[in-house]
Amino acid sequence: MSSGRIIVRATFLILALSLLSRFLGLGREMAIAYAFGAKAKADAFFVAYVIPYTFSGVVGTALATVIVPVFAGYAAQGRKEAAWQVLSRLLNAAFVLTLVLAFLGVAAAPLLTRALGGGFPPATLALATKLSAAMTPAIIFLTVAGILGGILNANNIFGPPALGPAIMNVMVITGALAGARLLDVYGLALGVVAGSLAYTLVQLPALRYVGFRYTPACDFWHREVRRVGALLLPVVLASGIGQVYTFIDWRLASGLAEGSIAALNYANKLMNLPQGLLVTAVTTAIFPTLSRLAAEEQPEAMAATLRRALKWILLLGVPGAVGLIVLRAPVVMLLFERGAFDARATGMTAQALLCYAVGLAAFCLNLPLTRGFFAFQDTRTPLLISAATVPVKLLLSLALVRALHHAGLALATSITMTLNMGLLSYLLYRRLPALFDASFCRFAGRLLLAAAFMGAGVHVADGYLAAHLKTAGLGLLCRVGADIAAGALLFFAAAFSLRLDELLSLCDLLREKAAGVAIRSKSLRPRYRNNR
């Protein structure tokens, strides 16, 4: 099978599972909002949840990222058995290290929560400390899950690693709705730990399919393990620096009005929804191919593959950002305003969502651009760029929080992420001069025009619907649904009029995929009748 077909099939598979995971993630936030609103318990939980969330987003993702090019190098040399031995040692070493870190994390929970939530009242800070200690064991399972996902992705197996987050979200939803009735907010913490374990277990059966051979050896000083560690450290640091943004926000927001951290979290999750629908799917699918092309020294093919991925991502990121800006208030009302989540929480969350959405397109592009460097096994450049933007984020946060309160923290993040994207683009362009060619610039300009046309139309339509429909229940659902439908029609009309090439090619791929499914289903019907 050609690399193009592998990427397309993998993208559709990961996209489908990412859709499931992201909508379940949205359901998770809705369940937490219903049970705890934007109040002190929610603030305490989100501060405590930073530790396992950081490990999942930093260490687990970094391990999965580094393993792919390392395995590609072994496979190109025909040394898969050696790869299994190295990955087994890496898995064992990571398990031992995270086990030690989990014990240290429980002991250091008071220090960690005080660093992030030092502005909390004493009761809220004490609750955050207990929740942090309860959820710390999740880091063991999330780290192992990241390694297993990297092994499977390196072998072009994308289903189980993409399904794991969906199962974890189901467990957290259960903890928020059912566990909270018995254990209050501790039931939610239990759901996080159980979900992280499920995330790991769901990947185990697929390891046998790819031929993984586990070796029960733990050698921290093995030459290849140290080489992987040398590649891993800059990735962890770069991703960890990205999480420093969250630490800055949580620390400053803990001294603001009650519910500020919760509002930032809910808005951030909504902002991440468009990003998670396509960006993760496309980036995960192209990364093995990018690594192979980099190893084979094919810069033109690598630039073409990455350029197409960036276009696909912008096709969703730009109109998604415009849609969230225009519909921020009704969307937050529809999704969250029930139970303990009141009108005050809606206003706070909508303000933060507006400021996050400004940087959505840049946030979407950062991941594939970073993977472009990782494909070259260059993990230092993204690290240095991330480190350089931290002082910018801190200064902007301190300046904007005074005028805009918690929304100022969101705006500071958007500005900083846009700067980060610009630096990554410039430095990667120097390595891949064909990356941003004239066709990409034309595409970007036409896309902005189509999104602006869509935004203006949706703004007018929403104003009309708001005046004629109720602001709650079925009326609000019809209003938001009609707004989204109108936005989609307007965007597609403008996009086709402007001849956005990647939208046309994506539609062709969808038609080919649908035709292939139909042909396979017809070919199976006679066989099914014979079996009967």
Side-chain angles (χ1 to χ4, degrees):
M1 186 182 298
S2 67
S3 61
R5 287 187 174 273
I6 291 174
I7 291 173
V8 171
R9 289 184 62 179
T11 299
F12 278 109
L13 173 62
I14 300 169
L15 179 58
L17 293 175
S18 295
L19 278 169
L20 175 64
S21 176
R22 289 292 169 172
F23 282 116
L24 286 172
L26 181 59
R28 176 196 65 208
E29 299 304 314
M30 292 170 66
I32 296 172
Y34 174 81
F36 304 105
K39 298 179 181 177
K41 287 183 179 179
D43 284 346
F45 170 77
F46 289 125
V47 164
Y49 185 56
V50 163
I51 304 304
Y53 181 79
T54 299
F55 258 81
S56 175
V58 175
V59 179
T61 303
L63 284 164
T65 301
V66 168
I67 285 171
V68 172
V70 169
F71 184 86
Y74 278 100
Q77 300 171 13
R79 300 174 58 206
K80 277 193 174 184
E81 290 298 324
W84 298 143
Q85 294 180 16
V86 171
L87 293 175
S88 293
R89 287 181 167 87
L90 179 64
L91 180 64
N92 297 333
F95 178 80
V96 172
L97 286 174
T98 52
L99 185 63
V100 173
L101 286 175
F103 281 109
L104 294 176
V106 171
L111 297 176
L112 294 172
T113 53
R114 192 175 297 114
L116 295 175
F120 281 156
T124 306
L125 185 60
L127 177 61
T129 299
K130 294 177 182 177
L131 291 172
S132 178
M135 287 189 286
T136 296
I139 68 174
I140 302 171
F141 307 125
L142 292 172
T143 302
V144 172
I147 297 176
L148 301 185
I151 294 172
L152 295 176
N153 286 344
N155 288 272
N156 290 315
I157 302 296
F158 301 99
L163 181 62
I167 295 176
M168 183 172 177
N169 285 331
V170 170
M171 301 298 290
V172 177
I173 291 171
T174 304
L177 297 180
R181 295 183 180 181
L182 300 174
L183 302 172
D184 197 32
V185 72
Y186 296 103
L188 182 56
L190 178 62
V192 171
V193 178
S196 63
L197 175 60
Y199 187 179
T200 302
L201 296 178
V202 74
Q203 300 185 69
L204 294 179
L207 291 175
R208 184 176 181 181
Y209 176 80
V210 300
F212 176 65
R213 298 183 181 180
Y214 174 73
T215 302
C218 185
D219 185 358
F220 289 93
W221 306 112
H222 188 276
R223 180 172 60 88
E224 290 299 308
V225 173
R226 285 189 282 116
R227 185 173 76 88
V228 173
L231 291 172
L232 179 66
L233 184 59
V235 182
V236 171
L237 291 176
S239 301
I241 288 173
Q243 294 301 318
V244 172
Y245 296 172
T246 301
F247 297 162
I248 292 172
D249 289 347
W250 269 210
R251 181 63 181 85
L252 294 175
S254 68
L256 300 176
E258 180 186 24
S260 294
I261 290 178
L264 285 170
N265 175 80
Y266 297 135
N268 184 266
K269 294 302 187 294
L270 279 178
M271 189 270 293
N272 277 323
L273 186 59
Q275 184 261 355
L277 292 179
L278 185 64
V279 176
T280 303
V282 172
T283 304
T284 305
I286 67 168
F287 188 44
T289 301
L290 290 177
S291 299
R292 178 179 59 80
L293 293 174
E296 295 173 356
E297 298 183 355
Q298 299 187 48
E300 294 289 335
M302 186 178 177
T305 300
L306 186 55
R307 182 172 62 248
R308 170 163 286 192
L310 295 178
K311 289 181 177 181
W312 284 355
I313 289 168
L314 286 174
L315 272 173
L316 183 65
V318 173
V322 173
L324 287 176
I325 290 171
V326 175
L327 300 176
R328 59 190 182 278
V331 166
V332 173
M333 290 171 61
L334 176 64
L335 295 178
F336 295 128
E337 194 170 302
R338 60 184 60 85
F341 197 97
D342 53 18
R344 171 183 170 274
T346 293
M348 294 177 67
T349 304
Q351 291 171 8
L353 181 58
L354 168 63
C355 295
Y356 274 133
V358 170
L360 176 58
F363 184 80
C364 289
L365 291 181
N366 276 322
L367 181 60
L369 290 171
T370 300
R371 293 295 176 91
F373 286 99
F374 290 170
F376 285 114
Q377 297 194 26
D378 175 9
T379 56
R380 290 185 58 193
T381 301
L383 169 62
L384 295 175
I385 292 174
S386 296
T389 60
V390 169
V392 178
K393 161 63 180 173
L394 179 59
L395 292 174
L396 286 172
S397 296
L398 291 172
L400 295 174
V401 73
R402 297 180 179 180
L404 301 175
H405 306 293
H406 70 288
L409 300 174
L411 182 59
T413 297
S414 291
I415 296 172
T416 308
M417 293 302 289
T418 303
L419 173 63
N420 194 85
M421 182 272 295
L423 293 173
L424 286 172
S425 299
Y426 172 72
L427 293 177
L428 190 58
Y429 174 70
R430 292 181 62 181
R431 292 193 178 190
L432 299 172
L435 181 58
F436 300 115
D437 57 6
S439 68
F440 184 88
C441 296
R442 288 193 299 270
F443 168 83
R446 293 170 182 175
L447 178 61
L448 289 173
L449 287 175
F453 176 74
M454 179 205 76
V458 170
H459 177 72
V460 173
D462 185 64
Y464 174 81
L465 292 171
H468 292 82
L469 294 175
K470 295 181 179 180
T471 58
L474 183 60
L476 181 59
L477 176 62
C478 293
R479 171 187 168 186
V480 174
D483 285 335
I484 294 174
L489 289 174
L490 290 171
F491 177 74
F492 276 103
F496 279 110
S497 298
L498 294 170
R499 305 296 296 174
L500 282 176
D501 53 347
E502 288 305 318
L503 182 61
L504 299 175
S505 66
L506 188 60
C507 291
D508 291 339
L509 285 173
L510 289 171
R511 282 196 294 267
E512 291 177 7
K513 188 71 175 177
V517 172
I519 291 172
R520 285 196 297 272
S521 64
K522 288 180 180 179
S523 67
L524 290 175
R525 286 174 187 171
R527 192 181 309 170
Y528 173 71
R529 286 197 295 268
N530 292 336
N531 289 339
R532 291 185 64 189

